[in-house]
Amino acid sequence: MTTVNGGVSFWYAATGLPRRRAPLAGNAQADVCVVGGGYTGLWTAYYLKQAAPELDVVLLEREFCGYGASGRNGGWLYNGIAGRGRYARLHGEDAARRLQLAMNDTVAETLRAAAAEGIDCDAHRGGVLEIATTPAQLARLKDRFAHEQAFGADPVQLLDAGRAAERLYVPGTLGATWSPHGARVHPAKLVLGLARAAERLGVRIHESTPVREIAPGRAVTAHGTVTARTVLRCTEGFTAGVPGQKRSWLPMNSSMIATEPLPAEVWEAIGWDGREVLGDEAHAYMYAQRTADDRIALGGRGRPYRYASGIDQDGATPAGTVARLREILRRMFPAAADAGIDHAWSGVLGVPRDWCAAVDLDPATGLGFAGGYVGSGVATANLAGRTLRDLTLRHLGRGGRTDLTELPWVGHRVRRWEPEPLRWLGVHALYAVYRHADRHEHAATSPLAALADRISGRA
């Protein structure tokens, strides 16, 4: 069997890549210019036009809507948010709890909006199952469970090995947590449907339109300049390609494989009838879903970072990364060990230096941004879009403070990443430590991995 490698992602395999909308045709004016046609930019434009239909909103996308992580991710719509612990230390636990509760609500809001717009994205709200397969992982899982309860993520359940196996059989599982705040989605169906919904509301979308410069009052492209009172950067993992943003967020690579459709006897051995999204407590963690057509789509880090914040263009994945993901599949799902791998692909996600997602709009310049989701962007982008909506309406004199604009991630700033070659050396050294810890730690978390967390900003 031949594995398709790249071609953006498996999620477009059945339909082919979408037909591109026309690029910008000369200079234009708008009230709001959104740069980036992924979840963040589209949700922002969508909610803006819902709240204020009279606003002229233009969205500029370098390739096509859903080309980046929004069309390549693992389909985890869940309530995780990057940086919650740091926000608790900076702003207090009550502020962090408000942020967590907003994320809990975001899962339902995303599904509600998709249903309201008739977007069939294979959604199934089976919750989030995260497993531990070593004593060290089990200790981390129990610690995270205690934190989830403290931050308002009830009713998270702590499962022993037997109860975990009733949901999904993974050899060696010692325990698990299950949260109802999660759903499986088909990423490309969601982003393409969202683009159509935004367009129906009147958002002007221009694809094949790379933005060369973002400045107060304008976004400059090779096809013309869009002049707007508010310009919002929603470029997530591709932010390093925006002039002046090379060291703002690190583009972290994540890779995936998708099996062929698996027969009934394999699913009988595995279980997974609840179709929960699945993760583990390894330092170099994996993530997976059972797709609507009964495949296993499974991802992990592979080669985490390309020198000088390089970004692949079409999702091509090194053979060694595909082999490592295949080994994870075999170890976790022996019944699927001989399954064919239909597709392998990669994408990038945005990682701030302190691993904290953030959203902001400067009233003095009219420039705003959102991102830095560190792999939790499917739901977080929806909350970011609604928050950018409120900040933009306030900036344009059409609204005031809201519960969303008062969340602790609004206005958060972080120092830039180190210059090369320190950035490349540091990231690869840290992930070498994480992989070593995953192979060798047993009863307790590796001290080296704990140190790596502090150095990287994850802790």
Side-chain angles (χ1 to χ4, degrees), residues 35-37 40-41 61-62 68-69 211-214 232-252 305 308-313 348-353 358 368-374 414 416-417 423:
V35 180
T40 304
E61 163 56 39
R62 190 183 82 174
V211 173
R212 293 178 171 178
E213 178 188 357
I214 297 175
L232 305 174
R233 172 171 55 81
C234 303
T235 48
E236 183 54 0
F238 287 80
T239 297
V242 177
Q245 302 294 332
K246 191 77 170 179
R247 291 166 52 198
S248 295
W249 292 338
L250 185 141
M252 184 76 74
Y305 174 69
S309 294
I311 296 172
D312 80 88
Q313 296 304 305
V348 294
L349 48 99
V351 181
R353 186 62 180 83
F369 73 90
Y373 306 134
V374 196
V414 64
R416 292 155 67 85
W417 282 89
R423 189 160 71 247

Side-chain angles (χ1 to χ4, degrees), residues 312-403:
D312 80 88
Q313 296 304 305
D314 298 308
T317 302
T321 297
V322 178
R324 283 193 290 273
L325 293 175
R326 180 64 186 259
E327 181 54 37
I328 294 172
L329 175 75
R330 287 171 171 159
R331 184 178 74 247
M332 297 189 73
F333 305 106
D338 297 325
I341 303 300
D342 277 356
H343 212 119
W345 71 99
S346 296
V348 294
L349 48 99
V351 181
R353 186 62 180 83
D354 64 355
W355 293 63
C356 287
V359 58
D360 193 24
L361 196 160
D362 183 353
T365 64
L367 295 177
F369 73 90
Y373 306 134
V374 196
S376 301
V378 181
T380 312
N382 177 280
L383 180 61
R386 287 182 285 131
T387 306
L388 277 178
R389 171 202 60 194
D390 290 358
L391 292 169
T392 299
L393 292 175
R394 187 172 73 184
H395 175 66
L396 297 176
R398 298 166 183 261
R401 295 179 182 274
T402 69
D403 289 344

Side-chain angles (χ1 to χ4, degrees), residues 148-449:
E148 292 304 309
Q149 290 190 310
F151 279 103
D154 287 336
V156 177
Q157 299 176 13
L158 182 65
L159 310 177
D160 62 19
R163 292 176 64 201
E166 290 174 2
R167 288 183 173 272
L168 170 64
Y169 175 66
V170 174
T173 295
L174 301 178
T177 58
W178 178 83
S179 163
H181 300 299
R184 174 209 71 194
V185 297
H186 185 297
K189 289 182 180 180
L190 177 58
V191 71
L192 297 180
L194 179 56
R196 291 190 293 268
E199 209 165 32
R200 284 196 300 268
L201 290 173
V203 177
R204 292 189 282 152
I205 299 177
H206 296 288
E207 298 176 322
S208 300
T209 305
V211 173
R212 293 178 171 178
E213 178 188 357
I214 297 175
R218 68 182 185 275
V220 181
T221 83
H223 304 285
T225 297
V226 176
T227 304
R229 287 184 60 189
T230 306
V231 181
L232 305 174
R233 172 171 55 81
C234 303
T235 48
E236 183 54 0
F238 287 80
T239 297
V242 177
Q245 302 294 332
K246 191 77 170 179
R247 291 166 52 198
S248 295
W249 292 338
L250 185 141
M252 184 76 74
N253 287 283
S254 197
S255 302
M256 293 195 71
I257 57 174
T259 69
E260 63 185 340
L262 303 178
E265 58 267 25
V266 172
W267 290 116
E268 185 176 351
I270 295 173
W272 218 343
D273 295 335
R275 297 179 185 260
E276 306 89 342
V277 292
L278 173 69
D280 70 359
E281 286 292 328
H283 298 290
Y285 52 83
M286 57 75 64
Y287 51 94
Q289 67 153 280
R290 178 178 176 177
T291 67
D293 60 349
D294 286 334
R295 305 168 188 266
I296 295 175
L298 180 149
R301 283 295 179 261
R303 185 168 69 177
Y305 174 69
R306 297 169 185 261
Y307 190 82
S309 294
I311 296 172
D312 80 88
Q313 296 304 305
D314 298 308
T317 302
T321 297
V322 178
R324 283 193 290 273
L325 293 175
R326 180 64 186 259
E327 181 54 37
I328 294 172
L329 175 75
R330 287 171 171 159
R331 184 178 74 247
M332 297 189 73
F333 305 106
D338 297 325
I341 303 300
D342 277 356
H343 212 119
W345 71 99
S346 296
V348 294
L349 48 99
V351 181
R353 186 62 180 83
D354 64 355
W355 293 63
C356 287
V359 58
D360 193 24
L361 196 160
D362 183 353
T365 64
L367 295 177
F369 73 90
Y373 306 134
V374 196
S376 301
V378 181
T380 312
N382 177 280
L383 180 61
R386 287 182 285 131
T387 306
L388 277 178
R389 171 202 60 194
D390 290 358
L391 292 169
T392 299
L393 292 175
R394 187 172 73 184
H395 175 66
L396 297 176
R398 298 166 183 261
R401 295 179 182 274
T402 69
D403 289 344
L404 296 184
T405 64
E406 301 306 298
L407 291 174
W409 70 331
V410 175
H412 180 71
R413 301 289 173 144
V414 64
R415 69 183 175 90
R416 292 155 67 85
W417 282 89
E418 290 78 3
E420 297 292 16
L422 296 178
R423 189 160 71 247
W424 187 91
L425 291 170
V427 172
H428 282 265
L430 289 170
Y431 271 86
V433 169
Y434 289 141
R435 287 190 288 267
H436 180 273
D438 286 333
R439 288 193 299 267
H440 298 290
E441 69 180 7
H442 182 65
T445 293
S446 162
L448 285 176

